[in-house]
Each structure stands twice: as C-alpha cells, then as structure tokens.
Amino acid sequence: MKITFPRLGTVHVGLKSVLEDLGHEVVVPPRITEETVNLGAKHAPETACFPLKINLGSFLEVFREHPDVDMIVMAGGVGPCRFGYYFRTEQDILTDLGYGHVNWVVMEPPRGNLRQSLDSLGALNDGCSTWQVAAALRLGWRKLVAMDDILKTVHRVRAHETQRGAASRIFRAAVTQMENADSLQEVDQIARQTLRRLQNICREDDGDTVRVAIVGEIYVSMEPGANLHIEEALGYLGAEIHRTIMVTDWAKENILLDFLRWDSRGKDHKEAAKPYLNHFVGGEGQASVGSTVLLADAVDGVVHLMPFTCMPEIVAQSVMPQVSKDYDVPVLTLVFDEHTGRAGVLTRLEAFVDLLRRRRRKKGQRSIG
Amino acid sequence: MSAVSRNADGVSVPRVGFCRALLYHIQWDFWKEYLDGLGAEIVLSPPTSKEMLSDGLKLAVDDTCLPVKAFYGHAQWLTTEAVDFMLVPRLVSLEKHTYICPKFMGLPDMIRTAVAGPPPVIDPKIDIRQSALRQRASLMNAASDMGFSPRSAREAIQQAGSPYRRKMRTMSSRVKPALKCGHSSSKQSAMKMAVLGHPYLLADDVTSAGLMWALADMDVKPVTLESVDDEILQEYLQDLPKKVFWSEGGRLLAAARHFSRRDDIDGIIQVNAFGCGSDSLLGEEAQRRVRQEGSCPILSVSLDEHSGEAGLLTRLEAFCDMVKRKKQ
Ligand code: SF4
Ligand code: SF4
C-alpha cells in the first residue's frame, strides 16, 4: 500500500512517522500553494468549504506525481458541520477523475461507531505486534508534541527576530529533521536544539509588542497555505501570536481520545462562551467565542479566521460583536477562499495591528498617569 | 409598554412572538399547540416581505445563508410589535443520530446579538439525544420564563405531544389553490416536476423568488418530498455509503434518487440556498446520483438575495421547454 493523507500544518510529521513504522510507503502531499488551491477549486463544488477544496487539490497534486498511491487515510465525523462529509464528496470527485481505485480509510470518531474505528485502524495494521504499534504511535505523537512546542515558540519570537525570516528558516529545518528522526531521544534532542536556536535570534522586547490571539476554524488556523501565511505576516508586523488550537489539541479531541470525551483545553472555553453562544454548533464555533472571552484580558486583540460559508464560524462571527463590546477587545474576522487576495488581507492586518498598538500605548499612558 | 392582553377571565397573558421562517415551516404545529396550551397570545410575523428581507440582510453577517437572513428580518419585525417574549427554539435534532444544521443550533444566540433591543429571547431546546425528562424540563423552563404556571405548562406539553414531530409546509397558502385547481388550460400537457429544496425556502415566496408561482404559471405541477412516504426515503438513506448526519439534507438527497426513478416525474428542479452548508455538498451528490440513475433531467438553481425573478424565470422556462421537447 502506498498511502497519502491530507496535509495540515505539521500533522504530516507525526503521521508519516507512524505509518512508515507500520511498514507502509507514504507520500506526503507537497506544501499547499496557490496552485494547490486553484486545482482544488476547479474540481470541487463551487460552494464547498475552502478546506475541502484545498484538500482535494492537494490529493490531485499527489496523484499527478504518484499515480500509484492507492490509499488515502483521513478523519471523518458525524456532524453537524460539513467536515465529516468531506471524504464522501472527495471520493466521488476523485472517482470521476479516474482515481476510483483508491482505498479510503476514514477514521470516524469512536463516538460514532467504535467498531468502525477499530476496523479502520485494523486496515492500517498489517502484521505488526501490539507492541510495535504502540511504539510507532508513541514516536509519532512525541513528534507532534515537539512540533507544537516549537511552533508556539516561533509564534512568540518572530515578533522579535533581528533578521526577518530567521524563525521561519529554523522552523522549516526542524520539520525536516523531525520527519527523519527515529527515536524518542532524537526527537527530544532536535526539540531542545531548535528551541535554543530560536531563543538566540531575538532582540529584547522593546515593550511595544502587541499580542494577538488567533481563534477560528481548524484548517485555516493550522495550515499556513490556507490562511495566506498570516502568522508570518503578523510576526513581521511585530505581533506575538497566541493560537488557541494546536495540532495535538485537535488530534486529542477529535481522533485519539474522543471516546474518553477528553477535552484537552478543558471545559472552560465552553463555559465562557455560554452567555453568547449557549450550545455546541460543530467545529470550533463555540470554542472561538469562548477563547475570545477567556483571552480578552491577556491579549491586545483577536484575529478570527474562517473559511467562506463555514457553518459553525458564521454562528460564532454573528455573536462576536457582543463579546468584543462587552470585553472591550478588538476582533478582526478574516474570511478565506480561493478568491481571497493576499494584498487585501495584509492591509487589513496592518491596520489592525496599528489599532492595537495605539490602544496599547494609550492604556500604558493611562496606567502611568 | 406592551399592550397587555387579557384572557376570558380578565387575567393578563403574555404576548409571545414567533417568526414565520425556518423552523416555522417544519414544526409550527407543535409550537402552536404548546403556546395555545399555555394560553399565550401568539404574535406571528407575516409572510416574508421584501422589506423584512432587506432588514435581515442588514442585521446578519454577510455570508449567512439566505433563509437565516430572512429569519433575522422576521425577528426584527417582531421587535416592533410590543411582544413580551420572542420564542426562538433551539432545534438540535429531530431524528436519532442526526442534526438539523449548526445554524439552527445557534439561532437564538444569533438573534439575541443582532436584533436591537429585543424582548427576551426564550430558547427551549429540542434535541432527541437528551432524555425525555430533560426535554420536558426544557419546555417547562421556557414556560416558566414566560411567566406561566407549572400546571399550565404541564398541560401545554401534554397537548402539544412529541416535540420531534415535523410537518412541513412547503407551499404558501397563496400558491396552494393555484396549484390545486391547476389554472392550466391544457391539463394533458401539464408536466410533473419534483422540486427539491429546504421547505422554509420553497414555502417562502420572497426568498424563493416566486419559484412555485412561476412553475404554476407554466403548467408545471410541482411535487415535493413531503408527498413521499418517509419509509421510502429512509430505505434510500440506509443504502448510502455514509450516513448523512443532517436529517433534512439527507431527505433531500434520498428524494432526488427516488424521483429520478419514478416514471411520472418529468424532471427535477433542485433549489439550493446560497450559503447553505449542506446544500453545497449534498446538492452535488444528488445531481451525480440522478445522472447515474439514468435520464431524468435535472436543473439546479441557487437562490440568493440578488437572484431576480426575471433571471430565474428564464432558466425555468428554458428547462421546462427542454423537458417538454424530450417528453414529446
Ligand atoms: S468547520 Fe467550517 S470549513 Fe470546516 S468543515 Fe465545518 S463547515 Fe467546513
Ligand atoms: S440547512 Fe442550509 S439553508 Fe438551512 S439554515 Fe442551515 S445553512 Fe441555512
């Protein structure tokens, strides 16, 4: 079996490792570019979610280079938003385009059907012992955790780097190293080294740094190719980033331990959302609202990212003005699809960071005076 | 400042507003019995007007689907009616293992934020996943929030029956008679077409840009999924490679397959709401399945606030002409 899977942030670092250790050949989709987006948009239903389009484009890029890929592994879902239906739509389209031979292994959340989840895991395990499987999962997971730690540091130091692009370069190098690491020790060592290198590229905080929280839909939050690399852009504008959902949070909540109802971020963000959005609405909708409430004091502003027509985030966006008003925290909602231009987004980000900086200085003066 | 109304015994009763949009078209019978049972005075917004829709457009965020935008307009209308409460139920699930749509789940919150100075929004939750006891408690609480006694609440809940029942009203009272007497001159030539779309869209003459009317004018007899036995739909649904987790979306998909196999159906018109999440994926799948079934012609139209009646009419006419030629 030659396997591929959706590209999303640093997921491939861990997933590739696990699948290879289980004895599979793996093709990691190339980085998401404008071309990926256009290819997907060409073949997907016009009003499908943006992440679906990217995902489809990405698979097509894989097949273009590797027509012999014969298995796709991806996550499923049981609603209420569209995510759980992606694979059905993509499967139909890929079949039409001549890739009907592909086996789809869809990890449905155990909450939907435990037997089915075990079956899909079984489909991936071809003769490895339980011990080997456990070791493979452990290594893959450690890589994901390490990458999240590194990325969190990048989010912070990029605002202070002395040489533009230094943090991104170190990060990319870490991705490559991490992909090839084959022991827990090696993973830890790469992580330590990388974190040290990241510390060394910063100048001192001049006190003028603004802090921005990023909340919103999973895919456009976690995949730079989907959000026109706005994390980098914010960093260059001198903003430290606090992103509320990282790859491991998402994996814990949605795939691995869903049946334990493990909510790695605690129930807090749900409780905090309640006065504004008193019910789960799928995806990250309620979390976007709750995180904004919880972080309102800790950050200068919130950037809310959503794909065009995203069901849960439209609900969140609808109630956000009230949160912003009550907690006196500016919220910038950015909507992404294949027509979104980078220049427009950059202008809005610049204006937003300017606004935050002015507010911050004003507040500083007030507290002095 | 609300106009206090009194019942037969001279006791003042609350005026409760309800929007004639979205869930109204799925579940009104239940809510009417509930409110009647409580003894509330019901203020129902009128059928959507152009003004109400444009109010809704101003209040809703840009990318919201058309039916939800219209709902905002209804809620806005109710704020001018001196109602004491606005009842906006939170519909989560009417059927095992499915949802309605995330927007129905967040609707009361969206309305609370958007509509200026609304009367309190009362939002009982309807969710088949919760226990019967909790379901009941949710309806009891709503009644008590509106100031009704536990006794009248118990009676009202008893009277209204199952909160999970649905009865779709797909055609406005204006269109119905026109369709029934078929003001067609040449009955034989009349065509029968399946019209598939969310009931709250088809039933609303403004958001559907007069689609049902237009069809009636063209001697087309529209058939909707309500005419199909639920068992038949369920059977198709069981047959799918993945369970559809939107109950209403799934029914539309199943109905598309069902109609495409029926000899008496000359064509299928699929009506999508712009910005609708489930339509965007299931609409495409429905078309695919219809094409796989064979030769039933299918037209897909997407409605948004800019869809003029004229443009829609041209497309409908062209489609009907094509179907007629094929038929002959
Ligand atoms: S969260 Fe939004 S973009 Fe993501 S799958 Fe759901 S509806 Fe689509
Ligand atoms: S099902 Fe579609 S049209 Fe209906 S409320 Fe949800 S998104 Fe809107």
Side-chain angles (χ1 to χ4, degrees), chain A residues 76-358:
Chain A
V78 288
C81 94
R82 283 174 276 188
F83 181 66
Y85 216 72
Y86 273 22
F87 90 91
R88 279 294 308 118
T89 305
E90 295 178 353
Q91 197 175 28
D92 280 349
I93 296 170
L94 287 174
T95 303
D96 280 359
L97 294 174
Y99 304 108
H101 66 284
V102 178
N103 284 305
W104 292 71
V105 176
V106 180
M107 302 288 172
E108 293 289 353
R111 198 179 295 175
N113 183 339
L114 188 57
R115 164 59 56 71
Q116 208 174 329
S117 310
L118 292 176
D119 283 353
S120 23
L121 275 178
L124 290 176
N125 182 13
D126 187 15
C128 292
S129 68
T130 315
W131 186 84
Q132 281 168 315
V133 175
L137 286 173
R138 191 152 169 238
L139 180 62
W141 185 252
R142 183 77 69 98
K143 288 184 180 185
L144 289 181
V145 173
M147 287 317 297
D148 274 358
D149 285 346
I150 293 171
L151 190 54
K152 278 182 191 161
T153 310
V154 169
H155 283 157
R156 199 163 36 78
V157 303
R158 202 183 262 133
H160 314 291
E161 61 189 5
T162 41
Q163 197 188 22
R164 179 183 265 227
S168 299
R169 269 196 303 281
I170 295 174
F171 179 72
R172 278 200 295 273
V175 170
T176 316
Q177 282 179 310
M178 207 58 97
E179 277 181 17
N180 300 322
D182 41 33
S183 71
L184 295 174
Q185 289 81 343
E186 209 180 323
V187 170
D188 293 347
Q189 197 197 346
I190 296 168
R192 267 198 311 274
Q193 255 174 17
T194 308
L195 292 175
R196 206 175 320 122
R197 288 179 67 197
L198 284 169
Q199 295 308 336
N200 290 338
I201 57 164
C202 328
R203 69 172 88 79
E204 259 177 49
D205 187 348
D206 53 9
D208 210 21
T209 319
V210 297
R211 272 194 299 275
V212 173
I214 292 188
V215 305
E217 191 268 351
I218 301 142
Y219 197 91
V220 292
S221 302
M222 296 205 293
E223 173 50 51
N227 61 35
L228 304 169
H229 301 268
I230 74 150
E231 288 181 346
E232 225 167 32
L234 278 169
Y236 295 159
L237 289 169
E240 280 187 8
I241 291 170
H242 179 88
R243 192 170 85 198
T244 54
I245 185 158
M246 305 297 285
V247 167
T248 49
D249 300 320
W250 179 77
K252 272 185 215 164
E253 288 167 24
N254 290 277
I255 305 177
L256 292 179
L257 290 156
D258 176 273
F259 60 99
L260 295 178
R261 308 279 159 113
W262 179 4
D263 196 332
S264 67
R265 288 168 294 173
K267 296 258 172 277
D268 289 359
H269 61 285
K270 283 185 193 142
E271 283 305 317
K274 278 193 175 153
Y276 303 95
L277 181 51
N278 194 8
H279 202 272
F280 165 72
V281 288
E284 287 292 295
Q286 205 181 12
S288 297
V289 175
S291 305
T292 303
V293 170
L294 290 177
L295 290 169
D297 283 340
V299 298
D300 299 298
V302 175
V303 177
H304 174 215
L305 305 182
M306 62 184 270
F308 183 57
T309 74
C310 171
M311 303 160 100
E313 298 303 333
I314 279 184
V315 179
Q317 188 194 4
S318 305
V319 304
M320 216 54 121
Q322 194 65 44
V323 182
S324 169
K325 200 165 117 203
D326 290 356
Y327 285 86
D328 189 28
V329 60
V331 176
L332 173 70
T333 298
L334 294 173
V335 183
F336 293 93
D337 72 0
E338 65 273 25
H339 307 297
T340 312
R342 186 165 158 83
V345 170
L346 285 184
T347 318
R348 295 187 63 195
L349 280 180
E350 254 168 49
F352 188 65
V353 172
D354 267 356
L355 166 84
L356 300 186
R357 192 160 277 136
R358 277 200 308 277

Side-chain angles (χ1 to χ4, degrees), chain A residues 47-58:
Chain A
T47 50
C49 317
F50 187 42
L52 185 151
K53 295 180 182 177
I54 298 179
N55 200 192
L56 182 70
S58 177

Side-chain angles (χ1 to χ4, degrees), chain B:
Chain B
M1 57 152 251
S2 75
V4 177
S5 45
R6 295 173 191 285
N7 67 7
D9 308 328
V11 184
S12 75
V13 293
R15 281 162 64 83
V16 179
F18 200 93
C19 296
R20 193 193 294 261
L22 290 179
L23 56 140
Y24 165 85
H25 297 283
I26 300 174
Q27 269 216 319
W28 172 237
D29 292 27
F30 172 80
W31 294 106
K32 180 169 182 343
E33 278 159 39
Y34 173 74
L35 288 172
D36 280 345
L38 289 172
E41 188 199 342
I42 303 174
V43 181
L44 191 59
S45 58
T48 313
S49 65
K50 293 225 162 86
E51 293 70 46
M52 286 159 83
L53 180 59
S54 79
D55 280 346
L57 295 179
K58 275 179 228 137
L59 292 168
V61 299
D62 282 351
D63 310 333
T64 316
C65 59
L66 183 63
V68 170
K69 284 178 174 162
F71 193 93
Y72 274 84
H74 284 261
Q76 176 66 27
W77 185 91
L78 284 172
T79 60
T80 63
E81 282 301 296
V83 293
D84 300 306
F85 302 100
M86 204 188 297
L87 185 64
V88 183
R90 195 187 294 279
L91 245 54
V92 175
S93 170
L94 297 178
E95 228 175 62
K96 283 234 165 68
H97 307 303
T98 62
Y99 293 99
I100 296 271
C101 154
K103 288 177 201 162
F104 276 83
M105 295 156 78
L107 196 59
D109 301 301
M110 293 163 84
I111 293 302
R112 261 188 211 114
T113 306
V115 180
V121 171
I122 308 291
D123 58 350
K125 173 164 125 182
I126 303 298
D127 183 0
I128 202 161
R129 286 153 216 255
Q130 56 187 357
S131 67
L133 225 60
R134 283 186 89 166
Q135 180 57 74
R136 201 183 153 76
S138 157
L139 290 166
M140 290 290 289
N141 287 341
S144 119
D145 287 346
M146 293 186 284
F148 295 101
S149 71
R151 217 189 84 208
S152 58
R154 271 193 295 274
E155 279 169 19
I157 293 168
Q158 179 84 27
Q159 183 181 330
S162 163
Y164 310 121
R165 72 196 156 109
R166 56 149 88 66
K167 182 170 174 222
M168 300 194 183
R169 13 193 96 237
T170 30
M171 273 160 248
S172 68
S173 45
R174 220 174 111 227
V175 175
K176 244 187 210 153
L179 292 173
K180 243 199 212 115
C181 64
H183 63 171
S184 61
S185 41
S186 47
K187 276 248 167 80
Q188 315 85 308
S189 73
M191 287 184 292
K192 214 176 186 183
M193 295 224 195
V195 182
L196 295 176
H198 294 291
Y200 38 81
L201 189 59
L202 300 186
D204 188 315
D205 287 340
V206 170
T207 50
S208 68
L211 180 120
M212 286 298 196
W213 258 130
L215 288 175
D217 281 344
M218 287 180 226
D219 277 356
V220 172
K221 186 172 163 32
V223 185
T224 57
L225 70 80
E226 286 69 63
S227 66
V228 185
D229 233 2
D230 212 51
E231 271 164 33
I232 296 181
L233 295 181
Q234 290 307 331
E235 201 176 299
Y236 280 112
L237 283 173
Q238 297 306 326
D239 210 29
L240 293 171
K242 171 167 174 125
K243 190 174 163 55
V244 181
F245 44 70
W246 299 294
S247 50
E248 314 311 300
R251 299 160 92 81
L252 288 170
L253 179 59
R257 278 179 85 188
H258 166 75
F259 283 125
S260 67
R261 289 179 183 177
R262 254 170 61 177
D263 293 337
D264 62 326
I265 298 292
D266 299 308
I268 298 177
I269 299 173
Q270 192 183 43
V271 187
N272 299 318
F274 186 79
C276 172
S278 60
D279 283 357
S280 74
L281 301 188
L282 297 179
E284 188 98 349
E285 183 167 351
Q287 287 173 37
R288 193 181 302 270
R289 288 186 183 277
V290 168
R291 282 198 302 269
Q292 280 166 359
E293 288 298 329
S295 55
C296 189
I298 177 164
L299 170 74
S300 172
V301 293
S302 172
L303 297 175
D304 65 17
E305 58 265 32
H306 311 296
S307 36
E309 298 194 8
L312 180 67
L313 206 65
T314 322
R315 291 194 61 198
L316 286 179
E317 274 169 0
F319 182 68
C320 291
D321 282 349
M322 190 270 281
V323 173
K324 201 180 276 169
R325 270 201 308 280
K326 195 171 158 242
K327 205 181 167 188
Q328 280 160 3

